[in-house]
Amino acid sequence: QPETVQEVASEVKAQNAKLVLCATKTCPKCMMVKMFLERAGLDYEVIYAEDNEQFFLDNGIQEAPTLLVISGEKAEKYANPSNIRRYIDSVSA
């Protein structure tokens, strides 16, 4: 499992941006955001807090859902469904 944003970014060199949804397994808002991502046809990876607590701690993620948009060494964070939805709408419009 990736430990840092840099490790996730290094796994993806060919793509413009990698989407990583930081979620919990029982969070209804996380399930809703997955539906938004799938409807928009966006590829994404899920990292669950239950399985990767250290990833959340190391990257300052305090809220689920949080969407990380990783491009190169840079990562933008979008926390909560309304902010994530705005991001999705901006890239899938």
Side-chain angles (χ1 to χ4, degrees), residues 40-80:
L42 297 172
D43 290 329
Y44 66 98
E45 178 182 333
V46 179
I47 296 180
Y48 290 108
E50 295 91 335
D51 301 330
N52 296 285
E53 184 179 344
Q54 199 60 48
F55 181 87
F56 278 62
L57 294 171
D58 291 347
N59 294 291
I61 298 163
Q62 300 175 349
E63 183 179 343
T66 294
L67 183 68
L68 298 177
V69 179
I70 302 169
S71 183
E73 293 293 311
K74 189 176 134 220
E76 294 178 66
K77 290 182 194 173
Y78 297 89
N80 82 50

Side-chain angles (χ1 to χ4, degrees), residues 40 86-93:
R86 271 195 289 279
Y87 169 78
I88 292 169
D89 290 345
S90 76
V91 297
S92 63

Side-chain angles (χ1 to χ4, degrees), residues 4-13 16 69-76:
T4 64
V5 168
Q6 286 74 24
E7 284 178 306
V8 173
S10 71
E11 292 173 7
V12 190
K13 291 191 169 74
N16 290 336
V69 179
I70 302 169
S71 183
E73 293 293 311
K74 189 176 134 220
E76 294 178 66

